Amino acid sequence: MNIKHFVIATLVTSFILGCATGNTPAAKKENARKETSDALKQIYSDHPSAKAKVANSLAYLVCTGSDSYLFAASTGGGVCVLKGGGKTDYYRFASLGVGAGIGFKKVAFVYAYSDAEALRRFKEEGWDAGARAEASAKHEDEGGQTAANTSYDVDGVTIYQSALWGAAAQATVQGYKFWPTDFTDDVMQNSE
């Protein structure tokens, strides 16, 4: 397999594994809730302090998806559920990063919002380049590169991340773009 085919296969796999499955929007929402609920259980197992932080937050966003690392670039994507104020909203995310790395992993993360301004920024802008990059830089200052299971506080948001499976050797800075979805115009539809 040449490098071009490897890159294409990695990107397609990353996208497929990061998608809520189902033939209808209702089925996709149900699967997104199940995937993120399972992911949150793993995060709680890896980060015992996360449960109290999430319970006391204004809102929290739970995401599950995949990250692929190939030499100087990384990509990823997945599905998220935002809960707060008695509402449940659904989001997709895509990530793009720069740095050195190789590998593939399925990840889960939760953003616990303790600041109304941080939550507003997320809902209106949907970008998270600064928080993840700053958190990675803070972790680098502690003497190591960002681990598979990490947690950090940045600008009114506490972020917990867990690697669900896979392996990657990387030193990257990634930006994340989130957008709301109701799954009616999903890129991928399963055949019945």
Side-chain angles (χ1 to χ4, degrees), residues 21-143:
T21 57
N23 291 323
T24 65
K28 289 183 182 203
K29 286 179 182 178
E30 177 61 32
N31 286 327
R33 286 191 303 271
K34 181 180 180 336
E35 285 177 32
T36 56
S37 176
D38 291 346
L40 193 56
K41 289 176 189 169
Q42 182 63 49
I43 291 168
Y44 289 162
S45 175
D46 292 341
H47 306 281
S49 65
K51 195 168 196 172
K53 194 69 157 179
V54 166
N56 294 317
S57 66
L58 297 173
Y60 63 95
L61 178 78
V62 184
C63 303
T64 183
S66 57
D67 285 332
S68 301
Y69 304 90
L70 185 62
F71 307 117
S74 63
T75 60
V79 64
C80 306
V81 173
L82 176 67
K83 292 190 176 196
K87 285 183 59 182
T88 300
D89 294 308
Y90 301 90
Y91 285 80
R92 291 273 189 201
F93 78 89
S95 67
L96 184 61
V98 295
I102 191 157
F104 179 84
K105 63 184 177 180
K106 184 159 180 166
V107 296
F109 51 92
V110 62
Y111 286 29
Y113 293 92
S114 59
D115 179 76
E117 177 60 19
L119 181 59
R120 183 204 61 78
R121 270 193 323 269
F122 168 77
K123 288 181 174 181
E124 291 180 8
E125 298 171 17
W127 283 101
D128 179 24
R132 296 296 280 244
E134 184 178 336
S136 294
K138 283 183 179 178
H139 192 61
E140 290 285 343
D141 289 343
E142 295 171 6

